[in-house]
Structure formats: structure tokens, C-alpha cells
Amino acid sequence: MSNLKKVLLEKVSCKSIWFMRQAGRYLPEFQKIRTENPDFIKLCLNSELSSEITLQPIKRFNLDSAIIFSDILMVPYALGQNVFFNKNEGPELSDHQLDSFMNVSEKNFSDKLSPVYKAIEITRKKLNKEKSLISFIGAPWTLLVYILKMKKNKNEINIKVLEDSNLKLEEIIHKLISCLCLHIKNQINAGSDVIQIFDSWAGLIPNERINKLCYLPNAKIVDFCRENKIPTICFPKGIGEKFKEFNEIVRPDGINLDQHIDPLWAKSNLKNVVIQGGLSPDIFFKSDKEMISEATKYIETFKGLPYVFNLGHGLLPETDPDKVKRLVNFYRSY
Ligand code: 1CP
């Protein structure tokens, strides 16, 4: 069993380290491939290259887990929406066609994403058995933000879109949940052993809607995974002290803190769950001394507990890979 799966399922304390967005933009070896492959979706569907990118941070830093190089927006893509990524800008989606979206068959959906599953197969063969291969999905709410084009900027969304009387919100969420469960099953069958669920925009949901838009959809997906013995890590980013309620309702195996959660608060309030992450991705822009002191705070707080070392959000494109290396070395020798 992989190191991460063991920590999550057996709740044992052992060293385990990986970084969100570890396969990507801050690595020159990724930039090289990206420049040669201007179409990002095509790159995600190139199984050989996707596998190579997945393994890049493992080769560089010998991390305990690899996360498959793909994107949460591959699901709207497989549901028929056109997705464009302008280099160094956010993604852009074409208008959704809800009728065809609701009618995409399981076979059609799986066929469109089959290169992702192939990339997982290739990667699993190349990875040492002790290393985990993580697959991921975007939670329904976070996908809806993109599908319905609700994002105004980094911190604001246009929630009024949901009030459109023609929008069959419950049916759409239901369809998303069933496709996401299928995507999870396909990825596990291909060789992944842990699923991370990114609800990156959960913090933008108004209080009165958090149950319907965040807790319940996450809970349904986690229930599906539990029934199928698939370990899950949830990341309801930005919901503050509602992390406690989220954890009690959704009951994932692991929960990823964002950098705004006090680790001591998390330790006393998040029970029966493995804690992961929390360290701000900004620490890579500070001195080594400050970086190590911040990292020590997390390691010491969760000493003796099953804690997975990681960040509070993804590595930023401007991060110096040598700095990451020094943090990994520090963690290994601690
Ligand atoms: O190492 C890894 O983490 C694997 C690859 C990975 C993951 C896990 C990518 C590749 N994307 C994701 C998840 C993802 N994608 C999330 C959830 C995590 C998070 O909050 O960071 C989200 C919100 C997206 C959507 C997305 N895709 C964005 C964010 C845009 C926004 O609204 O702020 C962006 C910029 C992308 C493109 C993308 N995905 C991945 C990479 C390496 C890139 C950059 C592509 C490029 O070179 O232009």
C-alpha cells in the first residue's frame, strides 16, 4: 500500500509530503513542454506527455505522492463545453449547452477522457509502489463557477446567475455528481489510489447556500468513495471555521487546510480526519529562515498525529524550484 493511502486509511503517523500544483508552471522542464504544446487541453490528453509531467516533480524532489497532470476542467470539456487556456491567464469556457450536457452518456464521457486514464496507467507502471498516485476532481460548486461563467475576478462571483428561472440547478448538480463519480471510478481502475476533491471556490458561497452547494455534493461524492474503499482528501478552500461543520457532515478521510486556518484551531476542532497542508505558498518568497520556521510550526503542531505535509493552496508560478528543494530536504531531515 502506498504511503499516503496508509496514512489516510490506517490513520498512522508517518512522514508524507507532496505539494498541490507540484506538476506545473514553476518547473522549467514543464515550461519547455508547455511552450511546445500551446493547446493545454490537447496536452492533458497526450498520455505520454501528461505522464512525463506528472513524474517531473517526483524526479526532482523525490516526493511521496504524484498527482496526475490534468485539470478539473476536463470534466466540463467531456460534457461538451469548449475550454481554452490562454497562457498565464485564467481558463475561458464557451457557453454551456445544457441540453446536450445533460444527455452525455457514460460511454461518451469515459471515451473522451480515456487518454487521462491511459496516462494514469503509464504513470503507475513507472512509480515506485510506496508512492501514491493521486487523481483529483473539482467539486460540483467549483465546476459550476466555471461552467456558468460566474467568476468576476479572484475574489468575487456573480451569484445572481443561479437565480435564472430557466436554470435547472439541482438536475445539473445531480448530473455533475454522477459524472464525477464515474471519473473517479475510471481513474482508480486505471491505477490511482487516492482522490483529492478541490472545492477551490467554496469560500465564495453565501452562508445560506453552503449546505446545498458545498456540503451535500461533497458528501455524496465522499460517500460513493467510502462505499468503494477509495480514500478521499477534501479541500473546501476559504470557508474558515465552517471547516469543522464541513468535516462533520462530509466525513472525508483527509482534509486539506488552507493558509487562513490556524493549525492549532484545526487540531482541536477537526476530529476523526487526517489533516493535510496549510502552509502558505507565499513562504517560498521569504528567507530560508522564515520558511523553515513556518514549516516547523505545522510539523510541531501535528507531531505524533497522521499529518500530511503540504501547502494551503497550489505552488505559485513564480516559485523557485531550488527553494522547494530546500524545504523538502528540511522536512526529510527533521
Ligand atoms: O500538480 C498538479 O497539481 C497537477 C495538475 C493540476 C491540478 C491539480 C492542474 C494543471 N490543475 C489542477 C487543478 C485545478 N485547476 C484547480 C483546483 C486547484 C486550485 O485551486 O489551484 C482549479 C481551480 C483549476 C482551474 C485552472 N486551470 C486554473 C485556475 C484559474 C482560476 O480561475 O484562477 C488555471 C490557471 C488552470 C490551468 C492549469 N491547470 C494546470 C496547469 C499546470 C495550468 C496552467 C496551464 C498553463 O500553462 O497555462
Side-chain angles (χ1 to χ4, degrees), residues 19-25 30 34 40 67-73 85-91 136 142 146 151 198 200-201 235 313-314:
F19 297 111
M20 289 192 280
R21 297 295 195 99
Q22 67 191 23
R25 299 166 291 179
F30 168 75
R34 178 74 173 105
F40 184 75
I67 178 161
I68 194 70
F69 178 77
S70 175
D71 198 86
I72 62 166
L73 299 177
F85 291 87
N86 308 312
K87 207 161 182 266
N88 302 323
E89 278 173 51
F136 62 90
T142 288
Y146 292 101
K151 230 175 115 197
F198 287 99
S200 304
W201 303 116
F235 184 36
H313 199 196

Side-chain angles (χ1 to χ4, degrees), residues 201-216:
W201 303 116
L204 300 179
I205 305 174
N207 259 333
E208 65 276 13
R209 293 200 193 234
I210 190 118
N211 198 42
K212 224 173 176 170
L213 294 175
C214 175
Y215 301 161
L216 293 181

Side-chain angles (χ1 to χ4, degrees), residues 77-101:
Y77 160 80
L79 287 167
Q81 213 166 355
N82 290 323
V83 184
F84 308 97
F85 291 87
N86 308 312
K87 207 161 182 266
N88 302 323
E89 278 173 51
E92 217 183 291
L93 278 71
S94 64
D95 287 342
H96 52 78
Q97 306 289 332
L98 285 184
D99 287 341
S100 51
F101 175 102

Side-chain angles (χ1 to χ4, degrees), residues 230-299:
I230 302 166
T232 50
I233 305 168
C234 281
F235 184 36
K237 185 175 165 274
I239 64 169
E241 295 203 343
K242 292 197 287 284
F243 256 83
K244 180 170 158 63
E245 200 174 38
F246 179 99
N247 184 48
E248 285 161 6
I249 295 173
V250 179
R251 298 192 300 126
D253 299 292
I255 198 159
N256 199 118
L257 306 182
D258 64 47
Q259 65 260 39
H260 304 296
I261 302 288
D262 176 0
L264 280 173
W265 179 88
K267 186 175 160 176
S268 46
N269 285 284
L270 305 179
K271 298 295 178 189
N272 303 314
V273 71
V274 173
I275 291 175
Q276 170 174 286
L279 195 63
S280 170
D282 294 333
I283 56 143
F284 294 113
F285 308 109
K286 303 222 167 121
S287 68
D288 278 18
K289 198 168 162 235
E290 281 173 279
M291 172 174 83
I292 280 165
S293 137
E294 263 305 291
T296 308
K297 189 169 94 190
Y298 284 87
I299 302 172

Side-chain angles (χ1 to χ4, degrees), residues 21 53 72 89 93 109 120 124 143 147 158 165 169 195 206 211 214 240 250 262 289 291 311 331:
R21 297 295 195 99
I53 296 168
I72 62 166
E89 278 173 51
L93 278 71
F109 178 87
I120 293 171
R124 185 67 270 179
L143 292 182
I147 293 170
N158 183 4
S165 57
L169 188 59
I195 295 290
N211 198 42
C214 175
V250 179
D262 176 0
K289 198 168 162 235
M291 172 174 83
L311 304 175
Y331 177 76

